Amino acid sequence: MSDSPLSRRTFLGTAGAVVAGTALTPRPVVAAPAILRRSFAAPVAISSSNGLRGVARAVELVLAGTDTLDAGIEGVKIQELDPKDSSVGYGGLPNEEGVVQLDASCMHGPTKRAGAVGALEGIKTPSEVARLVMKYTPHIMLVGKDAQRFALSYGFQLEDLLTPESREAWLQWRANRGANDNWLSPDVKGPMRHTTGTINMNVVNAAGDISSVTTTSGLSWKVPGRVGDSAAVGAGQYTDNEIGAAGSTGLGEMNIMACGGFLTVEHMRQGMSPTDAALATLKRVVAMTPPRLLDERGRPNYQLQFYAVNKKGQYGAAAMTRSPFAVCDEKGARIEQCATLFS
Ligand code: ASP
């Protein structure tokens, strides 16, 4: 259910709450216990727009009884393993040296645990490695070669993550970095901008248990070793099982500056709807933006999105400028538009 006050589930939930409240207590009841309201809710998964297949898969799994984090990870793995998604996992765009370095993090609401990996090379599904860090170590984040060794110890295979397409894009970028670079390109297209792309997914089940996961190849052509917000618990994603979950895609550095995943959940804790919470976080991000990332009107010259769901299954998303997101609930999987801070 979007956080529109008249959506079907709100109506059903309210009607059900009144009936249930009347039956259970002799005196007038203003609001039913949350557990009664939840019994009318279907699972919800919300993600960045590349997760359209993933949200459908996650909800299907949750309906079959799968844990919310396991379901979310199965959802994002579709993108991690898809060579055509150049923002995540296999086929992700590489750093400035042509090496694909992946970041991921996850959080499991019911057990209050989190895991993350940063700058992981050669493993297609960093989301699964982040979950292993969470499950089998007392730590939260492993990085670089040691994260890779950790993954190999669990049987992951070392693989070349560059596809012919992502290698070609990198070669084009390298050959067009600027007038003074040392590479000749027969097909000069001009400097290629850094690109962003990631998948964040947040899942709530009918019992109100919540999890979140974010996975990415990060900013294309980044400085080797750069770890972005996707690996940062509290920025790329965050879950509080009492409140909700939120995550992000877009320029990770600016999200880290505002601890955006955490802040969005905090906004929901204060009573904001998921959409309003995401918008409020974006406002904080803008306030934290240095001049080099602002245009002549003082607006951010980068994109950033937040996706959020609360314990009741209300969801929402917001972006600096027009941007789609994916959601799946009892009405099925679909693309909707984020609320925007700027036109
Ligand atoms: N947030 C990711 C990062 O900065 C990139 C993206 O979402 O597009 O690594």
Side-chain angles (χ1 to χ4, degrees), residues 87 103 195-199 214 216-219 222 226-230 248-253 255 304-305:
S87 71
D103 299 336
T195 57
T196 55
T198 291
I199 179 165
T214 300
T216 191
S217 52
L219 224 48
K222 61 194 173 186
R226 178 261 191 192
V227 174
D229 62 324
S230 304
S248 180
T249 58
L251 186 62
E253 279 72 7
N255 180 23
L304 193 62
Q305 294 95 345

Side-chain angles (χ1 to χ4, degrees), residues 28-53:
V29 171
V30 178
I35 189 74
L36 292 180
R37 288 202 303 270
R38 278 300 310 173
S39 67
F40 292 94
V44 178
I46 180 170
S47 82
S48 41
S49 61
N50 52 351
L52 185 60
R53 291 175 297 171

Side-chain angles (χ1 to χ4, degrees), residues 64-299:
T66 304
D67 169 79
T68 50
L69 180 57
D70 294 338
I73 287 178
E74 287 309 308
V76 300
K77 268 172 59 186
I78 295 173
Q79 297 315 114
E80 290 180 324
L81 295 170
D82 183 350
K84 295 205 186 74
D85 189 332
S86 63
S87 71
V88 191
Y90 178 49
L93 291 174
N95 66 20
E96 66 178 19
E97 289 175 358
V99 177
V100 181
Q101 291 189 322
L102 305 174
D103 299 336
S105 65
C106 63
M107 210 157 162
H108 186 238
T111 55
K112 304 177 183 168
R113 297 183 72 187
V117 287
L120 175 65
E121 297 174 16
I123 308 287
K124 283 180 172 170
T125 54
S127 64
E128 291 187 301
V129 186
R131 181 176 51 189
L132 287 173
V133 173
M134 180 191 90
K135 271 190 173 173
Y136 295 116
T137 79
H139 311 305
I140 300 265
M141 188 190 293
L142 297 180
V143 300
K145 281 281 170 233
D146 292 308
Q148 186 188 74
R149 268 198 290 274
F150 171 82
L152 296 180
S153 77
Y154 284 93
F156 282 83
Q157 298 296 312
L158 215 48
E159 295 178 87
D160 183 0
L161 302 186
L162 272 183
T163 55
E165 292 76 20
S166 54
R167 184 189 305 281
E168 179 59 31
W170 171 67
L171 289 172
Q172 284 289 341
W173 170 78
R174 188 175 70 173
N176 292 289
R177 294 168 77 166
N180 299 322
D181 76 56
N182 281 325
W183 300 94
L184 300 180
S185 170
D187 177 22
V188 178
K189 293 182 175 148
M192 285 167 72
R193 282 178 63 107
H194 291 265
T195 57
T196 55
T198 291
I199 179 165
N200 159 248
M201 191 176 298
N202 311 292
V203 182
V204 58
N205 67 15
D209 282 332
I210 314 162
S211 292
S212 50
V213 56
T214 300
T215 173
T216 191
S217 52
L219 224 48
S220 62
W221 341 127
K222 61 194 173 186
V223 173
R226 178 261 191 192
V227 174
D229 62 324
S230 304
V233 173
Q237 54 77 40
Y238 191 78
T239 294
D240 181 327
N241 211 49
E242 296 307 310
I243 305 297
S248 180
T249 58
L251 186 62
E253 279 72 7
M254 286 318 305
N255 180 23
I256 292 172
M257 290 294 285
C259 304
F262 174 78
L263 187 59
T264 304
V265 172
E266 287 309 293
H267 285 143
M268 291 194 285
R269 190 192 307 280
Q270 290 158 18
M272 289 188 200
S273 71
T275 304
D276 287 347
L279 282 167
T281 300
L282 284 172
K283 283 182 191 153
R284 182 76 69 84
V285 171
V286 173
M288 295 294 293
T289 299
R292 79 182 166 80
L293 291 174
L294 296 172
D295 67 15
E296 58 292 343
R297 289 180 298 175
R299 294 178 171 191

